[in-house]
């Protein structure tokens, strides 16, 4: 289970870092998608910091399991919020991306929990 966690966790880490970079550089597609669901531009740095912290926790969690578990829980909660924001605004165009990330985060959480 640990090897599966390492692989999927590192893939999720890369995705989180790309997403954080897109928020910090305010790439047009991200800005349009997130402002459409009501996220103010002022929240972008905070959300990017949450993603960076989650990514760091997943990587450190390779060596210290409880931190990896906590980071995975945090990432799952983050994407539950993202899915909820899309559903609240009936934004079905942006929903699949958030839903896929939620599913991957849930898989990482499950794998980390099983590999402790």
């Amino acid at each position: 289970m640990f090897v599966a966690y390492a692989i999927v966790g590192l893939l999720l880490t890369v995705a989180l870092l790309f997403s954080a970079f897109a928020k910090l550089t305010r790439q047009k597609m991200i800005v349009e998608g997130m402002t459409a669901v009501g996220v103010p531009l002022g929240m972008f740095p905070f959300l990017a910091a949450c993603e960076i912290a989650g990514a760091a926790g997943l990587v450190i969690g390779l060596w210290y399991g409880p931190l990896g578990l906590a980071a995975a829980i945090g990432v799952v909660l983050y994407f539950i919020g993202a899915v909820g924001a899309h559903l609240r605004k009936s934004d079905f165009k942006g929903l699949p991306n958030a839903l896929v990330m939620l599913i991957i985060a849930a898989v990482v959480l499950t794998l980390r929990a099983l590999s402790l």
Side-chain angles (χ1 to χ4, degrees):
M1 287 297 162
F2 178 78
V3 173
Y5 164 72
I7 293 168
V8 180
L10 290 175
L11 291 173
L12 179 58
T13 296
V14 170
L16 288 169
L17 292 175
F18 275 121
S19 178
F21 176 78
K23 285 176 183 65
L24 291 174
T25 58
R26 298 200 175 163
Q27 293 185 8
K28 183 180 177 184
M29 186 173 63
I30 297 295
V31 171
E32 289 173 355
M34 292 184 68
T35 55
V37 296
V39 178
L41 288 176
M43 287 294 294
F44 280 37
F46 172 74
L47 295 173
C50 290
E51 290 176 325
I52 293 168
L58 292 174
V59 171
I60 296 168
L62 293 170
W63 292 275
Y64 185 63
L67 181 61
L69 186 62
I73 291 169
V75 173
V76 166
L77 292 173
Y78 178 91
F79 284 109
I80 287 173
V83 167
H86 287 285
L87 290 175
R88 181 174 47 91
K89 293 288 187 170
S90 298
D91 177 32
F92 299 111
K93 179 182 176 191
L95 180 63
N97 293 336
L99 199 53
V100 166
M101 292 298 287
L102 173 60
I103 292 167
I104 293 170
V107 168
V108 168
L109 172 59
T110 304
L111 290 171
R112 179 72 268 192
L114 293 174
S115 66
L116 288 179

